[in-house]
Amino acid sequence: MGDYFDDINSMVIDVLKEIGNIGAGNAATALAKMVNTKVDMTVPKVKILEFSEVPEMIGGEEMQVAGIFFKLSGDLNGSIMFVLDLDSAYSIIDLLMPREVKELDEFTMSALKEIGNILSGSYVSSLASLTNLKINISVPSLAVDMAGAVLSVPAIQFGLMGDKVLIIENEFLEIEASKSTKGYFFLIPDEDSYDILLSSLGVSL
Amino acid sequence: MSKIIKVGMADLKVVKYPDALTTLGLGSCIGICLYDPVTKVTGLAHIMLPSSKAIRKNSNEAKFADTGTVKLIKEMKKLGADPKRMVCKIAGGAQMFAFSSGNDTMKIGARNAIAVKEIMKSLSIPLKANETGGNFGRTIEFYSEDGRLLIKTIGHGEKVL
């Protein structure tokens, strides 16, 4: 088999979109519960991009972003990363604990990790129940740095398989404040796990 | 007029004086900078992985330290550079996310740095500067005028090597 995403067909895209949709729906619900306000989301966009296009999408290689990274283990091995730009990070933190000062201190960092944890956790549990696979998620690890540097981690992991990256873009909308937050999920199954994932969903490349 | 030319991820570029090269937001990847001080031919490769071997999809030479270095030198020779005079500077190879349990793919930055150092040793190209490791990103600018390497970070200062 060649590059996974060169061969990817529209059915696979549809399935991944559906996972994205259900996962993000649950993530939005979890977030709404956590902040005790109504949180909605748009239909996620599933994109398959060249390496070079990924930082552009988030605002350029030097744009400061927060990446919350988790390892996946069990029936499916790999990792998942949730990325958002710093403005989005601050507005999501504001939902959780409104603060005057916009700075990344210990509180802010652990709040970010927790938000990432809830979102990725509900995403992964949707994936697990949809596929009937047992998937464990690790503790979160946070990096706040240039987009290029943070995104090099999933890019390298996808790089073992091909030259393209799969991204699920989610937009969360806080109804009352009508503020929107854009976040990006990178689902990165290990090479062998990719086949496991797709076959458990009943699709093949 | 001198230009500053951008090198993307898994990409490489070669210029002559007075142009310069840059790559933005290096994380675990490594920027391999080669310079011939006589002809002022300057090359930069932004590699992602240590080795093209044991990877099924390895057609993009610039993605790997081994094939990227070979291609970079070949392109520099076309502009008149002599590998015997070349010096090397490297930056990047960070570990952006920390995990307590050891996992190879998480330590890819360090493995990239080791691979590049070994390649330079085997080619007898002296490693003049090594700004690798840590847990932060780096933007680099490499100047053909004198082979100086400018490194910019967020929160970890700026330096010239």
Side-chain angles (χ1 to χ4, degrees), chain A residues 88-102:
Chain A
S88 293
Y90 285 130
S91 55
I92 213 164
I93 290 165
D94 271 349
L95 285 178
L96 199 61
M97 40 178 217
R99 317 181 85 201
E100 294 282 309
V101 199
K102 300 263 175 283

Side-chain angles (χ1 to χ4, degrees), chain A residues 149-160:
Chain A
V150 171
L151 296 170
S152 74
V153 177
I156 284 172
Q157 287 175 319
F158 277 114
L160 292 164

Side-chain angles (χ1 to χ4, degrees), chain A residues 1-4 6 51-52 55-56 61-64 67-71 79 81 138-163 191, chain B residues 6-10 24-29 46-49 54-57 59-60 63-64 94-103 105-106 108-109 112 135-139 152-154 156:
Chain A
M1 199 184 295
D3 193 316
Y4 281 97
D6 283 345
F51 291 145
S52 54
E56 297 298 330
E61 289 95 334
E62 290 184 296
M63 165 75 94
Q64 239 186 312
I68 306 128
F69 190 92
F70 305 83
K71 287 195 281 195
S79 44
M81 188 164 98
S138 73
V139 294
S141 176
L142 171 73
V144 178
D145 211 306
M146 301 180 206
V150 171
L151 296 170
S152 74
V153 177
I156 284 172
Q157 287 175 319
F158 277 114
L160 292 164
M161 298 189 283
D163 288 320
E191 194 161 13
Chain B
K6 197 174 142 185
V7 180
M9 191 183 267
L24 310 176
L26 277 167
S28 305
C29 300
H46 182 150
I47 62 104
M48 299 174 74
L49 290 159
I55 303 259
R56 289 188 295 182
K57 181 88 180 177
S59 55
N60 180 3
K63 194 158 120 182
F64 307 96
Q95 184 176 347
M96 299 305 299
F97 295 96
F99 279 100
S100 50
S101 65
N103 175 318
T105 51
M106 288 286 88
I108 193 77
N112 276 336
N135 61 351
F136 52 90
R138 297 168 172 95
T139 280
K152 298 187 227 172
T153 66
I154 294 177
H156 294 84

Side-chain angles (χ1 to χ4, degrees), chain A:
Chain A
M1 199 184 295
D3 193 316
Y4 281 97
F5 306 123
D6 283 345
D7 305 332
I8 213 155
N9 58 42
S10 61
M11 193 178 163
V12 175
I13 302 255
D14 282 347
V15 169
L16 292 169
K17 243 184 211 162
E18 192 51 28
I19 296 176
N21 208 348
I22 295 169
N26 291 345
T29 309
L31 186 64
K33 262 189 205 150
M34 187 178 178
V35 300
N36 201 20
T37 180
K38 206 164 170 337
V39 175
D40 206 352
M41 52 130 216
T42 56
V43 176
K45 294 180 196 126
V46 176
K47 293 175 181 172
I48 291 156
L49 299 174
E50 298 283 337
F51 291 145
S52 54
E53 296 173 302
V54 178
E56 297 298 330
M57 181 188 69
I58 299 187
E61 289 95 334
E62 290 184 296
M63 165 75 94
Q64 239 186 312
V65 300
I68 306 128
F69 190 92
F70 305 83
K71 287 195 281 195
L72 303 178
S73 59
D75 294 338
L76 187 84
N77 289 297
S79 44
I80 188 167
M81 188 164 98
F82 181 63
V83 177
L84 64 178
D85 66 57
L86 274 196
D87 281 343
S88 293
Y90 285 130
S91 55
I92 213 164
I93 290 165
D94 271 349
L95 285 178
L96 199 61
M97 40 178 217
R99 317 181 85 201
E100 294 282 309
V101 199
K102 300 263 175 283
E103 60 172 9
L104 280 173
D105 53 20
E106 221 168 290
F107 278 116
T108 325
M109 305 268 248
S110 67
L112 262 180
K113 275 193 199 173
E114 194 44 37
I115 290 161
N117 210 4
I118 286 167
L119 296 180
S120 303
S122 33
Y123 187 90
V124 168
S125 68
S126 314
L127 183 62
S129 57
L130 214 62
T131 54
N132 266 328
L133 296 172
K134 193 173 176 306
I135 311 170
N136 308 312
I137 184 164
S138 73
V139 294
S141 176
L142 171 73
V144 178
D145 211 306
M146 301 180 206
V150 171
L151 296 170
S152 74
V153 177
I156 284 172
Q157 287 175 319
F158 277 114
L160 292 164
M161 298 189 283
D163 288 320
K164 296 198 175 78
V165 178
L166 182 128
I167 299 159
I168 300 153
E169 181 186 314
N170 284 119
E171 200 170 342
F172 296 100
L173 307 160
E174 189 202 342
I175 305 298
E176 275 162 46
S178 55
K179 259 199 278 186
S180 99
T181 305
K182 243 185 214 174
Y184 301 87
F185 281 109
F186 292 78
L187 176 67
I188 315 147
D190 287 351
E191 194 161 13
D192 297 336
S193 294
Y194 213 88
D195 294 330
I196 296 170
L197 174 62
L198 291 179
S199 63
S200 68
L201 289 163
V203 291
S204 57
L205 290 172

